[in-house]
């Protein structure tokens, strides 16, 4: 088995991009991000280290914060030179190369190539796909030699091949053992060679993990802190690490009401009789030395007398009088029922790390350390409004064709629970002036602006134009359902700037986009650690089959229940339309069906997120 950590993932970006008008392919924008970034995001979870092989525009590639390795060989040798440089630079036993323009590469590329390499005891493994030969109608194997996992120890072979003037990627391995690993997903190895191919890729939409990664990278925690007394700090986010100023407990102490004794007095086959020389209460340490052959009556939490290392619970004592006790052989083992000094927290050790949400246990822990106030991040100010001429506020009459604005209330609920300072800016009509005024007003007052509606392709035109004027906002088509359209970027007005999250209009889409895209972003801005920021996925068996389209992430409303036998299953709430808000009220979880998944069979395990867990 090859460990992920033993693989360096190398994105090959050293080419000239001649068919793209000599532009650097890795830097071409896809969904507002450089193509190479998409590839890195896909590769990152699969390998231990990442690096980029680039020659021109090395400064651009350096902005990814990863090592950039130029070719070590003169002349434009293409991918082989990148492979060569990678094998020279990599500090791991394996190198995985992928081209910078293949953003759809399989999410399990590394594991499958690694399995093929190990099973065949090979030196390198490359991906192959099977394709129909249009003339003969028979299937042919198409190798993808640039998608290559290789032992870095194969470097001498590559150097000998290059020294002989050879240049072909297909045959460099010579006598080394090659494993070809068959992949079914043809499209995954497609790369971008022409502007049309880039446009086609753009039209395919943005994957949820990539959207999440872009959002996560785009924001940093607010800098301002507040020092709060513990009772006020509940649900706030800790802004710096807390180091234990004391050890908890401060002394070895008893875990039981009983008698503290020397463990060395136990043992043997005969009953043991010990003289009781002291009584020690919690908060009142003993005053008399306890010698061998003696013991002290002791209460739970009371400090252990010097030399004593065990406590016999009073109910295990065979006979007791004021002066002595008798213990049966083997009634306890030496060391039993003693709590050690610092076993909860040792002085000088980190007790809580920044980024933690302060819940009841954290408040208690801080109190156990005697800490009265803690630094927390300031609250995030979030302005939100709904867009749409058809929307009416509750209390208003509903004219024909109109609907009540529900999104503002779900957003209000979700944002308030998250601990944001909310600014409800009402309904904004579908007209450019109204939208611009609202956005400028929100910008002046908030860190983040969340809108709903008006970002779907039909509706987006004037929104797009205004947002372009106010800042840098990308319009995404995300491969998710519900919640496909979304706008994201920064806008500025009168010296104030704000992050803009333009959510879709349909009520369930708003909630899905909020929980899986906006909420992690807000939590990051609030200073929460990564674990807190991403929803916790649990696995439960599906009660019935679920229809699911491969290639997009689907969020279905589910009800998870316990069977009489104690096992759990999840079932759908019923109709799953993105406008059916009552499905969210029936659900106690969201079923997360990932892009690579197809139909779910009854009994299959599916990922769920408990709605209660989403605060
Ligand atoms: P849009 O993205 O603006 O085209 O809206 C998509 C759908 O969501 C339309 O059917 C809208 O009427 C509906 N919608 C938009 N905003 C809201 C809202 N605040 N409350 C309820 N439904 C809405
Ligand atoms: Mg609308």
């Amino acid at each position: 088995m090859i460990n992920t950590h033993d693989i360096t993932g190398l994105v090959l970006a050293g080419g000239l991009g001649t068919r793209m008008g000599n532009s650097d392919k890795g830097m071409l924008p896809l969904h507002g991000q450089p193509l190479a970034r998409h590839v890195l995001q896909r590769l990152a979870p699969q390998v231990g280290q990442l690096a980029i092989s680039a020659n021109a525009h090395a400064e651009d590639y350096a902005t990814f914060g990863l090592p950039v390795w130029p070719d070590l060989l003169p002349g434009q040798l293409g991918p082989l030179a990148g492979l060569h440089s990678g094998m020279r630079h990599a500090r791991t036993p394996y190198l995985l190369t992928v081209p910078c323009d293949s953003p759809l590469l399989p999410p399990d590329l590394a594991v499958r190539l690694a399995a093929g390499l190990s099973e065949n005891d090979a030196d390198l493994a490359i991906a192959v796909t099977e394709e129909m030969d249009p003339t003969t109608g028979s299937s042919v194997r198409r190798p993808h030699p640039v998608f290559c996992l290789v032992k870095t120890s194969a470097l001498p072979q590559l150097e000998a091949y290059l020294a002989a003037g050879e240049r072909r990627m297909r045959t460099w391995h010579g006598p080394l053992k090659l494993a070809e690993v068959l992949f079914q997903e043809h499209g995954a190895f497609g790369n971008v060679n022409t502007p049309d191919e880039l446009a086609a890729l753009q039209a395919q939409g943005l994957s949820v993990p990539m959207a999440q990664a872009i959002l996560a990278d785009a924001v940093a925690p607010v800098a301002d802190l507040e020092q709060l007394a513990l009772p006020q700090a509940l649900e706030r986010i800790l802004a710096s690490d807390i180091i234990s100023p004391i050890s908890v407990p401060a002394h070895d102490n008893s875990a039981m009401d009983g008698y503290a004794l020397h463990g060395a007095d136990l043992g043997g086959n005969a009953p043991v009789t010990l003289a009781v020389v002291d009584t020690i209460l919690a908060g009142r340490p003993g005053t008399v030395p306890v010698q061998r052959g003696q013991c002290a009556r002791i209460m739970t939490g009371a400090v252990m007398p010097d030399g004593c290392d065990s406590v016999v619970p009073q109910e295990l004592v065979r006979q007791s009088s004021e002066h002595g006790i008798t213990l049966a052989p083997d009634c306890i083992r030496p060391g039993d029922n003693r709590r050690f000094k610092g076993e909860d927290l040792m002085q000088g050790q980190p007790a809580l790390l920044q980024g933690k949400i302060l819940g009841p246990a954290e408040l208690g822990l801080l109190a156990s350390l005697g800490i009265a106030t803690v630094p927390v991040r300031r609250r995030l100010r979030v302005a939100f409004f709904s867009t749409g001429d058809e929307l009416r506020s509750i209390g208003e009459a509903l004219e024909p064709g109109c609907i009540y604005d529900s999104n503002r209330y779900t957003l209000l609920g979700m944002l308030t629970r998250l601990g944001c300072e909310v600014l409800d800016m009402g309904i904004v009509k579908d007209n450019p002036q109204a939208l611009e005024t609202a956005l400028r007003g929100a910008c002046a007052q908030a860190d983040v602006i969340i809108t709903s509606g008006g970002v779907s392709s039909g509706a987006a035109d004037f929104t797009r134009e205004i947002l372009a004027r106010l800042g840098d906002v990308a319009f995404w088509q995300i491969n998710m359902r519900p919640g496909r359209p979304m706008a994201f970027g920064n806008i500025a007005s009168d010296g104030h700037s704000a992050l803009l999250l333009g959510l879709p209009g349909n009520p369930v889409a708003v909630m899905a986009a909020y929980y899986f895209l906006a909420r992690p972003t807000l939590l990051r801005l609030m200073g929460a650690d990564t674990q807190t920021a991403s929803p916790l996925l649990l696995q439960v068996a599906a009660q019935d089959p679920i229809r699911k389209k491969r290639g997009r992430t689907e969020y279905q409303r589910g009800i998870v229940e316990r069977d009489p036998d104690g096992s759990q299953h999840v079932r759908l709430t019923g109709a799953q339309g993105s406008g059916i808000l009552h499905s969210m009220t029936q659900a106690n979880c969201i079923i997360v069906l990932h892009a690579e998944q197809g139909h779910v069979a009854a009994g299959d395990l599916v990922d769920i997120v408990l709605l209660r867990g989403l605060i």
Side-chain angles (χ1 to χ4, degrees):
M1 268 298 287
I2 297 172
N3 193 318
T4 301
H5 294 285
D6 289 333
I7 305 176
T8 300
L10 182 67
V11 174
L12 299 173
L16 291 174
T18 30
R19 279 185 290 168
M20 294 294 292
N22 291 334
S23 56
D24 200 314
K25 277 213 265 180
M27 284 297 158
L28 293 173
L30 175 65
H31 307 296
Q33 298 288 316
L35 205 46
R37 214 173 157 264
H38 291 262
V39 176
L40 286 166
Q41 192 271 327
R42 235 20 208 194
L43 197 57
Q46 307 194 39
V47 294
Q49 279 80 238
L50 282 170
I52 302 167
S53 147
N55 296 305
H57 311 113
E59 344 59 73
D60 290 342
Y61 287 105
T63 60
F64 293 121
L66 295 168
V68 179
W69 297 334
D71 293 356
L72 301 171
L73 300 166
Q76 270 292 332
L77 299 184
L80 265 193
L83 176 69
H84 172 260
S85 179
M87 281 165 82
R88 276 273 199 91
H89 282 99
R91 293 282 158 270
T92 51
Y94 298 91
L95 179 74
L96 172 63
T97 57
V98 298
C100 67
D101 56 353
S102 56
L104 304 178
L105 65 96
D108 54 357
L109 178 71
V111 247
R112 281 160 71 187
L113 288 179
L117 193 140
S118 313
E119 278 160 25
N120 295 289
D121 201 16
D123 301 294
L124 73 163
I126 62 164
V128 297
T129 47
E130 249 168 8
E131 278 164 34
M132 180 84 85
D133 184 323
T135 47
T136 64
S138 58
S139 79
V140 286
R141 285 200 151 202
R142 172 151 177 237
H144 304 280
V146 185
F147 295 82
C148 171
L149 179 71
V150 60
K151 290 183 177 163
T152 42
S153 59
L155 181 63
Q157 164 58 29
L158 178 59
E159 293 196 323
Y161 180 81
L162 290 165
E166 290 279 7
R167 296 295 175 256
R168 278 162 306 146
M169 189 77 192
R170 254 317 256 150
T171 51
W172 75 263
H173 59 278
L176 296 180
K177 182 142 192 229
L178 169 76
E180 294 195 338
V181 180
L182 184 65
F183 286 79
Q184 301 302 334
E185 27 313 52
H186 296 230
F189 300 97
N191 62 344
V192 178
N193 286 311
T194 64
D196 282 352
E197 284 169 1
L198 186 63
L201 206 55
Q202 176 83 27
Q204 278 182 35
L206 178 63
S207 72
V208 167
M210 187 63 197
Q212 287 168 331
I214 294 171
L215 290 166
D217 277 8
V219 295
V222 292
D224 306 340
L225 312 183
E226 290 172 54
Q227 189 75 23
L228 292 184
L230 289 195
Q232 276 71 53
L234 183 65
E235 304 298 353
R236 299 296 294 268
I237 293 173
L238 191 60
S240 58
D241 295 349
I242 301 290
I243 305 299
S244 299
I246 55 171
S247 291
V248 181
H251 308 275
D252 287 6
N253 67 79
S254 174
M256 293 284 196
D257 291 343
Y259 297 86
L261 49 84
H262 295 259
D265 286 339
L266 300 166
N269 300 326
V272 181
T273 299
L274 302 170
V276 181
V277 296
D278 198 2
T279 294
I280 309 170
L281 306 176
R284 271 203 259 147
T287 49
V288 182
V290 181
Q291 315 286 354
R292 289 286 304 271
Q294 299 181 332
C295 66
R297 179 103 175 92
I298 194 164
M299 301 305 153
T300 304
V303 176
M304 291 289 283
D306 284 346
C308 291
D309 58 5
S310 317
V311 172
V312 58
Q314 60 195 23
E315 56 274 21
L316 294 185
V317 172
R318 187 187 276 181
Q319 277 178 0
S320 62
S321 70
E322 221 176 291
H323 307 295
I325 57 170
T326 303
L327 306 177
D330 291 332
C331 70
I332 59 162
R333 284 162 305 159
D336 277 1
N337 305 315
R338 171 176 56 158
R339 299 173 183 156
F340 288 95
K341 170 183 176 172
E343 74 175 15
D344 187 358
L345 287 168
M346 198 58 98
Q347 183 177 11
Q349 297 293 307
L352 292 174
L353 299 183
Q354 64 162 304
K356 193 116 184 113
I357 295 189
L358 299 173
E362 285 74 24
L363 293 192
L365 189 84
L366 289 163
S368 79
L369 295 171
I371 293 174
T373 65
V374 274
V376 298
R377 301 263 174 200
R378 76 157 165 83
R379 283 189 199 276
L380 209 60
R381 281 187 289 274
V382 184
F384 59 97
F385 57 83
S386 298
T387 67
D389 287 342
E390 76 280 28
L391 302 179
R392 294 293 176 272
S393 290
I394 41 183
E396 289 178 3
L398 209 54
E399 295 125 69
C402 292
I403 56 171
Y404 284 119
D405 170 13
S406 60
N407 291 345
R408 253 162 66 220
Y409 292 87
T410 47
L411 279 169
L412 174 87
M414 295 186 294
L415 291 166
T416 306
R417 273 200 178 170
L418 200 59
C420 299
E421 266 175 34
V422 293
L423 188 65
D424 181 347
M425 298 188 59
I427 296 170
V428 174
K429 294 279 181 210
D430 283 325
N431 88 56
Q433 285 72 41
L435 184 62
E436 180 165 348
T437 308
L439 287 168
R440 286 189 187 278
C443 216
Q445 302 175 69
D447 303 301
V448 182
I449 306 167
I450 297 187
T451 64
S452 74
V455 292
S456 55
S457 22
D461 296 350
F462 74 83
T463 317
R464 206 180 284 262
E465 189 236 317
I466 292 165
L467 290 175
R469 201 149 17 98
L470 295 184
D472 184 14
V473 177
F475 279 76
W476 287 342
Q477 293 295 321
I478 306 174
N479 289 333
M480 65 188 274
R481 183 184 169 124
R484 188 168 159 81
M486 179 168 162
F488 158 69
N490 283 290
I491 62 170
S493 170
D494 292 332
H496 301 282
S497 66
L499 185 81
L500 178 101
L501 296 166
L503 306 187
N506 280 307
V508 185
V510 170
M511 296 192 80
Y514 173 84
Y515 281 137
F516 295 97
L517 296 162
R519 180 180 178 274
T521 312
L522 296 174
L523 278 165
R524 249 184 101 80
L525 273 165
M526 290 161 66
D529 56 29
T530 319
Q531 201 195 342
T532 309
S534 27
L536 178 64
L537 296 177
L538 306 173
Q539 285 205 318
V540 183
Q543 185 181 44
D544 311 302
I546 305 174
R547 294 185 59 74
K548 156 77 177 40
K549 187 171 155 193
R550 218 184 275 277
R552 71 175 178 210
T553 305
E554 293 187 8
Y555 299 104
Q556 308 218 5
R557 276 69 74 206
I559 299 169
V560 60
E561 291 163 328
R562 245 173 114 82
D563 299 325
D565 71 0
S567 60
Q568 288 107 43
H569 68 253
V570 64
R571 61 188 167 90
L572 295 181
T573 51
Q576 296 288 312
S578 62
I580 300 181
L581 190 53
H582 91 262
S583 68
M584 281 299 293
T585 68
Q586 292 169 316
N588 62 9
C589 70
I590 295 179
I591 306 172
V592 181
L593 301 173
H594 303 278
E596 53 280 7
Q597 281 177 280
H599 298 313
V600 175
D604 282 358
L605 289 179
V606 289
D607 280 341
I608 63 159
V609 175
L610 291 175
L611 285 172
R612 275 280 154 202
L614 284 172
I615 53 174

